[in-house]
Amino acid sequence: MASINKLNRNSRRLNSVLGSETFTYVVKRLLQALLTLFLASALCFAIIELAPGNYLDTLSQNPKISPETLKQLEQQFGLDKPAIVQYWLWLQQIVTQGNFGTSFVYQRSVASLLWERVPATLLMAIASLIVTWAIALPLGIVAAVNQNRTVDRVLQVVSYTGQGFPSFITALLLLFFAQNTSPLFPVGGMTSIDHADLPWWGQILDYGWHLILPTVALSLTGFAGLQRLMRGQLLDVLRQDYIRTARAKGLPDDRVIYVHALRNAVNPLVTLLGFEFASLLSGAFIAEYFFNWPGLGKLTLEAVNNQDLYLVMASLMMGATMLIVGNLLADLLLKAVDPRIKLEDLK
């Protein structure tokens, strides 16, 4: 009898989850994501094929490689087939085998190459998001609360300066700084030479030590823009009638700002998380290149230079997936922050 009751309770919980608004919304978005990824992959493949030449053109310039070898490689990689056939075979093996193809340069599975590099890029991306939001939001609040005062003007100058610096200029300046403070900040790789000999906590600190400069380079522009947005959103909310009413009732200013106003001001910024998460991949190209960080951005750049078709395609699909997942997480977080919002109204 007890087992039957337990089974009934579990069944009710399962039905409640499956019938919930959040579950329905997630399933709907995932189905839409499949169509989006298909269209994105077709467009990316077409653009790559429109580019002149292919991987074998570089090899053909090597006099040590015979025409017979080039012909054999062309058949091995499937480059002798029409573009539409190449795309269909690539898509078919993804769906049926989960195989994204073989890298021309590395002669290895594309999936294994990506899985080796994704953790490094995610580590830098998450660190950058934390640093950006942890600094930009408080400074944006300070600027809004002290509107048109000296603090606000100084922060606006900092914000405009940060947005005006291109990422590669920031990276170059940080490299120059690292050179003049050497060996304070390392600029090569993720770990030190003696990383394997360090205790577990020492290895964590070593990762963090190497992460400082790439994170700063990736965070500076995003921090400046987010600070301005936070300031503008909070100022708009502080002008609303309900804020004036709360102050008229005698509520403390801190409570009005940090409880009532801030919660509504943050909501629009949450939607930016999805786009920021995906944009970190493009920003990672520069940070990883300058600081020799072994991540996905650097791998993708090398693949583009070498015209490594399937590695480029898989990297682009990874970027599209990050955009989709980031937007989905932003919508769910927005719902968690403000339960009044209906997910079906988020487009």
Side-chain angles (χ1 to χ4, degrees):
M1 188 65 179
S3 61
I4 294 176
N5 291 334
K6 184 177 181 181
L7 182 62
N8 289 335
R9 286 195 301 271
N10 292 336
S11 178
R12 285 194 297 269
R13 289 173 184 169
L14 180 61
N15 290 333
S16 175
V17 171
L18 295 178
S20 67
E21 178 194 13
T22 302
F23 179 81
T24 304
Y25 179 76
V26 170
V27 171
K28 181 180 178 181
R29 287 290 298 269
L30 290 178
L31 293 176
Q32 292 175 347
L34 293 177
L35 177 61
T36 302
L37 289 175
F38 168 71
L39 296 175
S41 66
L43 179 61
C44 292
F45 200 95
I47 293 174
I48 293 172
E49 287 296 326
L50 289 174
N54 57 38
Y55 169 69
L56 296 181
D57 290 342
T58 304
L59 296 182
S60 64
Q61 299 174 8
N62 188 342
K64 295 182 180 180
I65 300 179
S66 66
E68 292 77 14
T69 302
L70 290 174
K71 190 68 176 178
Q72 182 181 358
L73 290 174
E74 186 180 36
Q75 294 175 351
Q76 176 185 340
F77 297 143
L79 298 177
D80 57 333
K81 299 179 176 63
I84 186 67
V85 176
Q86 293 180 44
Y87 174 72
W88 172 251
L89 292 175
W90 177 76
L91 190 63
Q92 189 178 44
Q93 68 183 10
I94 291 176
V95 175
T96 58
Q97 307 170 27
N99 180 13
F100 286 84
T102 302
S103 167
F104 299 164
V105 176
Y106 295 94
Q107 291 293 298
R108 287 178 51 194
S109 165
V110 166
S112 66
L113 285 170
L114 292 181
W115 281 119
E116 283 181 2
R117 302 296 187 97
V118 164
T121 296
L122 284 179
L123 176 63
M124 185 166 63
I126 293 172
S128 176
L129 277 178
I130 293 173
V131 170
T132 300
W133 283 69
I135 297 177
L137 294 190
L139 291 184
I141 295 169
V142 170
V145 172
N146 296 279
Q147 185 184 12
N148 297 328
R149 298 177 184 172
T150 303
V151 174
D152 182 29
R153 292 191 178 95
V154 170
L155 290 177
Q156 286 191 57
V157 171
V158 172
S159 175
Y160 286 124
T161 304
Q163 284 190 297
F165 265 87
S167 298
F168 71 92
I169 295 295
T170 305
L172 284 173
L173 290 175
L174 288 173
L175 282 175
F176 179 75
F177 171 75
Q179 181 182 7
N180 284 274
T181 58
S182 179
L184 184 59
F185 293 104
V187 293
M190 290 179 62
T191 59
S192 302
I193 298 176
D194 59 344
H195 178 81
D197 300 327
L198 298 173
W200 65 268
W201 55 268
Q203 292 181 354
I204 294 175
L205 291 176
D206 190 39
Y207 282 127
W209 186 37
H210 285 75
L211 191 62
I212 293 174
L213 293 183
T215 300
V216 173
L218 196 57
S219 302
L220 187 59
T221 304
F223 140 76
L226 187 61
Q227 176 194 320
R228 290 188 60 208
L229 286 173
M230 181 70 251
R231 176 184 181 275
Q233 289 293 335
L234 187 55
L235 286 176
D236 285 342
V237 173
L238 289 174
R239 296 189 186 104
Q240 300 297 318
D241 291 338
Y242 73 91
I243 296 296
R244 295 194 186 97
T245 302
R247 282 173 167 163
K249 290 182 176 180
L251 288 179
D253 223 31
D254 289 347
R255 181 175 177 83
V256 171
I257 293 172
Y258 298 108
V259 177
H260 297 283
L262 183 58
R263 183 172 182 178
N264 291 319
V266 168
N267 284 354
L269 300 182
V270 173
T271 59
L272 296 176
L273 274 174
F275 296 102
E276 280 202 24
F277 188 63
S279 67
L280 288 173
L281 180 62
S282 59
F285 283 84
I286 296 174
E288 291 177 5
Y289 176 79
F290 278 97
F291 296 101
N292 197 28
W293 188 264
L296 187 60
K298 186 180 179 183
L299 179 69
T300 304
L301 184 61
E302 293 172 352
V304 171
N305 289 333
N306 295 320
Q307 293 184 300
D308 198 340
L309 175 62
Y310 300 124
L311 184 53
V312 173
M313 283 296 300
S315 300
L316 292 174
M317 290 301 96
M318 180 68 70
T321 302
M322 288 177 68
L323 177 60
I324 292 170
V325 171
N327 283 323
L328 178 57
L329 292 176
D331 288 346
L332 296 177
L333 183 58
L334 188 60
K335 171 69 174 177
V337 171
D338 191 349
R340 298 171 300 175
I341 294 176
K342 293 185 178 181
L343 289 173
E344 60 186 16
D345 295 334
L346 299 176
K347 301 296 184 182

